[in-house]
Amino acid sequence: MAVKIGIWVPSYAWQPSTGEDQHRRVHRLKEYIQRCEQLGFDIWDIDHLLTAPGLYGNAWLEPLSVLTYASALTEQAMLGTGILVLPLRHPVLLAKEIATMAQLSNDRYIFGVGPGWDPKEFESVGTHISERGRRTDEIIAAVQELLSKESASFDGEFYSFHDVTIEPRPAELPQIWVSGGSRVPDPNFHDRDSMPTSVLNRIAKSDAWLSRCSGTQDRLLRDWRTVGDHLESLGKPRDSVRFAHCNFIQLSPGQTRERALEQQHEHAVRAFGTHRSYEHLQECYLLGDLDHQLGRLTELAEHGMDYVVLGPLTDDLEQLDMIAEHIRPALGD
C-alpha cells in the first residue's frame, strides 16, 4: 500500500537567545514550504501555544496563520493542522478562520484536531485540562454546524450561540483527522497508557486517526488494534477510519546508528529540551540510522498506515530532499 507523505514545517518559535535573525528564519520557512510543493509533499503545522516543558524545548508559530501563509505559496499541497488544540479556541472564531483558510487555499485544508495535554496552556486561556475532551467534542460539533448552515445555532455545556452565519462557507466540510492515543505514563501530566472510550468515539466519527508520536512503536500498534476493535463494536468496518501517523525525524543516511544518533542529538535537544532522556526520545521519535527509521515506518504501513506526517528537526532543505530520495520510494508514495 502506498503511503502519502506530509511534512510538519519547522515553524519553531526559537528563543531570541539562539541569535538567529528573524527575517532570515522567515525566508527559510518560505523556501521550505515552496520545496515541499515542488517535491509533492503536503504541508502540516503543529500547534503549541506556549513553550511546553515535559515534551518540548520551544513553542511553535500559530498554525492557522502559518498555513494561510503557505496557501499563498502553493497550489497543490494539502494543508493540515497536525494537530490543532481545540479547547484553547472558541468555535465561532475558529469556524471563521477555517472558512477563510478554505477560501484562500481552494479547499485544501485538513482539519486535524486533538484535545491537548499541557495544563498551563488551558489555564492561560481560562479553562481547565479536566474539560479538554468535552470541549473538544463540542467544538467539533459546533464548527461543523457553523460551516454547513446559513443560520447556525448550538447549545452545549461550554458554548452556545444562536442564528450565527459564517461567510463565506466552504463548498464542503474539510476532512476531520482526530488525534489521541496512549503515552508513556508521566506523573506530571494527565495522559494515560490507554485509550478512553471518549477518544475512541471521537476517532470513530472522524475521517482519519492521526496517531501521535509520544509513545512507543508497540503502544502505537496496540492503539491501532484498539481503534479497529472499537469500530467493529460500533458495526463499522475496521478500515472505515484512515490510519495516519505523525512523527519527528532527522535523517543521517550512510551513517551507523551510533554516529547518526550522535549527529541528531543537538537537534533533538534543541527541539525537545532536556526534560526527557535521549533514550526516551529515541523510543518516541524517528531518530537513528536510516534502516531503523525505514523499519519503523514500513512496519506501520504493513499494519494499514497510508499517510504519514514527518517533521524534520531543522529547516535544512536537504532534509526534504533526503525524505524524497530515501523515505518516499520505500513507502511507495
Side-chain angles (χ1 to χ4, degrees):
M1 178 184 294
V3 178
K4 175 67 176 173
I5 297 175
I7 298 292
W8 259 336
V9 294
S11 61
Y12 297 109
W14 296 126
Q15 298 294 325
S17 59
T18 62
E20 286 191 301
D21 178 75
Q22 174 182 340
H23 299 293
R24 178 59 188 153
R25 289 203 307 270
V26 173
H27 179 71
R28 288 205 306 270
L29 179 61
K30 177 182 178 180
E31 292 180 322
Y32 201 93
I33 291 168
Q34 291 172 324
R35 182 66 64 85
C36 285
E37 173 87 341
Q38 292 166 1
L39 293 172
F41 295 139
D42 291 339
I43 294 168
W44 291 73
D45 203 26
I46 200 169
D47 182 22
H48 269 293
L49 179 64
L50 309 174
T51 299
L55 277 188
Y56 303 118
N58 57 275
W60 276 260
L61 300 180
E62 199 285 313
L64 287 171
S65 300
V66 171
L67 292 180
T68 300
Y69 176 66
S71 75
L73 299 172
T74 59
E75 294 182 356
Q76 302 298 324
M78 296 298 293
L79 309 166
T81 41
I83 60 171
L84 197 67
V85 182
L86 288 192
L88 306 183
R89 292 164 168 84
H90 191 282
V92 175
L93 179 57
L94 177 58
K96 182 68 172 185
E97 291 171 332
I98 292 173
T100 301
M101 167 72 73
Q103 174 106 347
L104 295 177
S105 69
N106 194 24
D107 294 315
R108 288 185 284 139
Y109 175 59
I110 298 172
F111 189 23
V113 303
W117 63 272
D118 186 7
K120 191 171 182 62
E121 290 190 339
F122 296 97
E123 294 168 8
S124 70
V125 298
T127 65
H128 193 272
I129 193 169
S130 63
E131 304 168 348
R132 61 179 176 167
R134 305 195 310 280
R135 284 184 181 271
T136 295
D137 290 332
E138 279 198 20
I139 291 173
I140 292 173
V143 167
Q144 290 178 310
E145 188 82 3
L146 287 159
L147 294 181
S148 61
K149 294 185 178 179
E150 181 175 354
S151 181
S153 297
F154 187 86
D155 284 299
E157 178 183 359
F158 303 104
Y159 308 102
S160 296
F161 51 84
H162 300 280
D163 298 325
V164 173
T165 299
I166 294 292
E167 291 183 341
R169 292 184 300 282
E172 58 184 37
L173 291 174
Q175 286 197 2
I176 298 177
W177 292 27
V178 170
S179 184
S182 302
R183 223 181 89 182
V184 177
D186 187 328
N188 297 313
F189 298 100
H190 291 246
D191 286 293
R192 294 174 266 185
D193 192 19
S194 62
M195 297 187 75
T197 301
S198 58
V199 173
L200 292 168
N201 287 336
R202 190 177 306 131
I203 293 169
K205 296 175 183 177
S206 71
D207 296 289
W209 176 46
L210 187 58
S211 58
R212 304 188 300 184
C213 53
S214 49
T216 61
Q217 183 95 340
D218 288 344
R219 285 181 171 87
L220 174 56
L221 292 172
R222 182 192 66 190
D223 284 353
W224 179 232
R225 290 191 296 271
T226 301
V227 169
D229 291 344
H230 188 72
L231 290 170
E232 285 191 341
S233 75
L234 299 175
K236 296 185 175 184
R238 295 182 78 91
D239 62 356
S240 61
V241 171
R242 192 174 186 178
F243 178 16
H245 180 55
C246 51
N247 209 322
F248 292 101
I249 194 170
Q250 191 72 10
L251 292 174
S252 302
Q255 301 295 330
T256 64
R257 180 164 178 77
E258 181 180 16
R259 179 58 179 156
L261 289 170
E262 182 181 328
Q263 290 179 348
Q264 295 159 11
H265 183 262
E266 65 173 304
H267 304 302
V269 169
R270 189 184 191 203
F272 306 124
T274 57
H275 319 291
R276 295 174 287 167
S277 70
Y278 195 34
E279 290 71 27
H280 186 151
L281 298 182
Q282 292 168 43
E283 282 191 318
C284 295
Y285 308 123
L286 295 171
L287 302 174
D289 59 287
L290 181 60
D291 285 345
H292 172 76
Q293 293 165 326
L294 289 175
R296 286 184 61 171
L297 288 170
T298 55
E299 181 182 28
L300 295 177
E302 289 167 358
H303 284 81
M305 179 192 76
D306 69 353
Y307 196 103
V308 66
V309 182
L310 298 174
L313 298 180
T314 70
D315 59 5
D316 184 352
L317 296 181
E318 187 179 11
Q319 285 291 312
L320 293 176
D321 295 335
M322 288 190 289
I323 290 173
E325 179 182 355
H326 298 288
I327 303 294
R328 180 155 59 191
L331 296 181
D333 180 21

